[in-house]
Amino acid sequence: MKIPRIMIAGTHSGVGKTTITTAIMAAFTAGGRRVQPYKVGPDYIDPSYHTIATGNPCRNLDSWMLSDETVARLFLHSAQNADVSVIEGVMGLFDGSQAAGDRGSSAQIAKLLNCPVILIVDVKSMARSAAAMVSGFVNFDPDVKIAGVIFNRIGSERHLDLVREAVELYCRVPVVGYIRKNAKLEMPSRHLGLVPTVEGGDLPAKISGLADEIREGVDFNKILQIADAAVDIVPSGAYLSAGKKESTNNQKARIGLARDEAFSFYYQDGLEELAHQGAELVPFSPLHDTQIPPDLDGIYIGGGFPEIFIRELADNQGMLNALQSAGAQGMPILAECGGLMYLSRVIVDFNGRDYGMVGLVPGRCMMEKSLVGMGYIEAEALDHNVILKAGQKLKGHEFHYSRLVPDDPDFSYAFRLTRNKSGETVLDGYARENILASYLHLHFAADPRAAGRFIDCCRAYRDSLKENAGNIAQRSCNQNFKTRNL
């Protein structure tokens, strides 16, 4: 398969990957190319910039949560209709989930997809030493093809001449661009990184102008040539096989999807996995709507920034009541991170003020000044819940500045989490009957059985309504699954 593709990677975090990658995507799109954007790793916010730049939904390529076969299959499925696929790396090129291997790194994705890499190097206060740095990256893993270099924060013409001559002489890698240190490329950020594009403002206009900011020094045509020259991919049967079977149940499960400025953290391929297995996803806004959509069989509330919109969420009493009532009636509700915070009884903001929330999770979410949890995790279900049986495990990640303080010592924790970096185990989340809320961010394409179980639970709820004709039996849908091999 002919798949023109390029990865934009960096020597380290903070080198300008997201801004430069977004600018390149915007330039290609403005030039008439159909660009399919990707982001390595579990990030939600950077992909939103790529989506605006290209007009196509960005997809995550995460080789820690997803198997190699799944990464390749998802990439091929979405890339085959694009003129060029542009992948933004994560952290430094070789940084991943461990020191002694490349699992979870940009390098692993580049090797898996046989993708040429453009390396971004911050050369502030550096001249010939830039060649030593680039040489180290070129030779560290010969299976990673570094096909070009972009210099960031060039100070002068003389500075550019020095670093370009040194890199091209000692590394035999072409310099395909440079960006001056006074370029107006800053993006608004806060405690979880860049501000999500769903919050609007002047972000769309700023993104469309990024290409003009770097046009002077970046050779877009050369980068396209490198992408076009990427070797053809010969997919194995495993990569192309329909590893996921179409749902045999023709009845859709109508699932409300919370999506607005406060809740926007979802994986595109994860949502498509839900739809593939029979979910009809119905968007609604906890911020702006006063009722949930009619005739729902379940609700999915992803992560986001409820703490930024805490007053508006607390004041929307109609939505709080609607969700509380739906949960009390037995409707399956799945909530991740920001969704957990929203379902809690109270969120305590950074200044110590209390704001009442939905109240389906008996506890308080306390905002902290520093990170409480960040990184890859493995979650083991402590009991049956709406996505897993007791004892089953799945991979995910966490990234949060809040902590959940239960109201009662007899709290129905959902998971035992094992943190990848430290090996530490902690109890997390809340699971009781039809409610599952935790700090776990999951990717349904990584574990399709979780998607299928959630959809089956939603269908079971719908069927129970029909059976009882409005006299809802207060029973846990988990009981329906204890003996089923999902």
Side-chain angles (χ1 to χ4, degrees):
M1 298 177 68
K2 180 66 175 176
I3 305 287
R5 59 200 182 279
I6 197 78
M7 175 184 287
I8 312 298
T11 56
H12 59 278
S13 293
V15 76
K17 288 191 307 294
T18 299
T19 305
I20 295 170
T21 303
T22 303
I24 290 171
M25 291 176 178
F28 289 171
T29 302
R33 292 266 184 151
R34 291 172 298 171
V35 181
Q36 176 55 56
Y38 299 89
K39 170 68 181 179
V40 178
D43 189 270
Y44 291 106
I45 299 177
D46 293 357
S48 69
Y49 286 75
H50 302 165
T51 296
I52 285 185
T54 65
N56 292 315
C58 183
R59 299 168 186 272
N60 292 70
L61 303 173
D62 191 302
S63 59
W64 194 88
M65 288 194 290
L66 305 170
S67 69
D68 290 355
E69 291 78 9
T70 301
V71 168
R73 174 172 56 80
L74 294 176
F75 175 78
L76 291 173
H77 175 73
S78 52
Q80 59 187 325
N81 294 320
D83 295 321
V84 61
S85 294
V86 181
I87 306 169
E88 182 195 344
V90 61
M91 300 184 292
L93 175 60
F94 296 104
D95 298 325
S97 62
Q98 56 195 37
D102 60 10
R103 175 63 59 182
S105 70
S106 302
Q108 187 194 12
I109 296 294
K111 291 192 293 185
L112 176 64
L113 302 179
N114 207 347
C115 181
V117 174
I118 302 295
L119 185 68
I120 300 174
V121 184
D122 185 343
V123 294
K124 181 185 178 184
S125 304
M126 187 184 300
R128 187 166 176 259
S129 295
M133 178 179 289
V134 173
S135 178
F137 276 80
V138 169
N139 295 303
F140 186 78
D141 186 345
D143 291 332
V144 177
K145 182 185 178 183
I146 297 179
V149 173
I150 293 176
F151 298 132
N152 196 9
R153 299 216 284 180
I154 287 288
S156 65
E157 290 298 327
R158 176 60 177 160
H159 184 205
L160 174 61
D161 290 342
L162 285 171
V163 292
R164 173 185 281 156
E165 182 179 353
V167 167
E168 292 186 341
L169 175 63
Y170 292 104
C171 307
R172 304 186 188 281
V173 175
V175 175
V176 298
Y178 66 89
I179 297 162
R180 299 190 183 278
K181 66 180 179 182
N182 60 349
K184 299 176 181 179
L185 297 177
E186 294 79 12
M187 287 292 196
S189 62
R190 55 171 174 248
H191 59 285
L192 287 182
L194 294 176
V195 174
T197 58
V198 292
E199 295 184 26
D202 64 350
L203 286 176
K206 189 172 183 63
I207 289 172
S208 66
L210 288 176
D212 292 333
E213 291 288 344
I214 71 170
R215 193 174 300 279
E216 172 194 354
V218 176
D219 191 338
F220 297 129
N221 288 331
K222 181 61 177 177
I223 296 173
L224 276 173
Q225 289 171 12
I226 294 172
D228 287 337
V231 299
D232 291 357
I233 295 179
V234 182
S236 70
Y239 287 0
L240 284 182
S241 67
K244 42 187 186 177
K245 296 180 179 179
E246 290 283 356
S247 172
T248 57
N249 191 329
N250 293 325
Q251 289 190 333
K252 296 284 188 180
R254 186 174 160 86
I255 297 175
L257 183 72
R259 203 160 202 176
D260 56 20
E261 300 92 321
F263 305 99
S264 61
F265 293 174
Y266 301 97
Y267 295 123
Q268 180 66 25
D269 287 310
L271 295 179
E272 290 180 12
E273 178 66 39
L274 284 170
H276 187 85
Q277 294 202 41
E280 177 191 355
L281 298 176
V282 185
F284 73 99
S285 170
L287 267 177
H288 306 297
D289 298 334
T290 58
Q291 293 292 324
I292 60 175
D295 303 320
L296 292 183
D297 305 318
I299 293 172
Y300 181 17
I301 308 175
F305 287 103
E307 66 270 27
I308 302 300
F309 303 94
I310 190 169
R311 184 180 297 277
E312 295 92 330
L313 290 170
D315 287 345
N316 190 353
Q317 196 62 50
M319 179 58 69
L320 296 177
N321 291 340
L323 288 169
Q324 208 284 332
S325 176
Q329 289 178 353
M331 182 181 293
I333 301 179
L334 171 63
E336 300 175 6
C337 200
L340 161 68
M341 296 168 65
Y342 185 49
L343 290 191
S344 69
R345 184 175 58 81
V346 168
I347 297 177
V348 182
D349 72 6
F350 287 109
N351 297 312
R353 293 182 294 242
D354 289 7
Y355 292 86
M357 292 291 137
V358 176
L360 291 173
V361 175
R364 299 158 61 87
C365 279
M366 316 281 293
M367 297 304 305
E368 303 290 353
K369 300 296 184 182
S370 58
L371 273 169
V372 175
M374 181 183 73
Y376 289 122
I377 51 178
E378 184 177 67
E380 178 185 0
L382 298 175
D383 200 349
H384 297 316
N385 60 53
V386 297
I387 63 170
L388 293 178
K389 293 179 181 179
Q392 287 184 331
K393 298 178 181 180
L394 54 73
K395 290 181 175 181
H397 75 100
E398 61 176 340
F399 190 10
H400 53 100
Y401 274 76
S402 70
R403 59 186 175 91
L404 176 63
V405 180
D407 289 340
D408 193 310
D410 186 24
F411 188 77
S412 298
Y413 283 102
F415 300 115
R416 179 178 292 106
L417 301 185
T418 301
R419 290 174 169 155
N420 180 65
K421 286 186 177 179
S422 64
E424 174 190 18
T425 60
V426 295
L427 298 180
D428 177 76
Y430 175 81
R432 187 175 179 85
E433 298 181 347
N434 54 301
I435 307 297
L436 173 59
S438 77
Y439 282 112
L440 169 71
H441 289 287
L442 60 89
H443 195 315
F444 279 118
D447 198 334
R449 65 179 175 169
R453 184 174 173 85
F454 183 53
I455 292 168
D456 281 350
C457 190
C458 294
R459 287 178 176 138
Y461 167 74
R462 179 190 60 213
D463 292 344
S464 73
L465 293 183
K466 292 179 180 178
E467 291 171 6
N468 291 279
N471 182 23
I472 300 171
Q474 296 295 322
R475 66 182 184 183
S476 168
C477 62
N478 296 318
Q479 291 296 123
N480 300 328
F481 295 138
K482 284 189 175 180
T483 59
R484 292 186 60 182
N485 184 23
L486 297 179

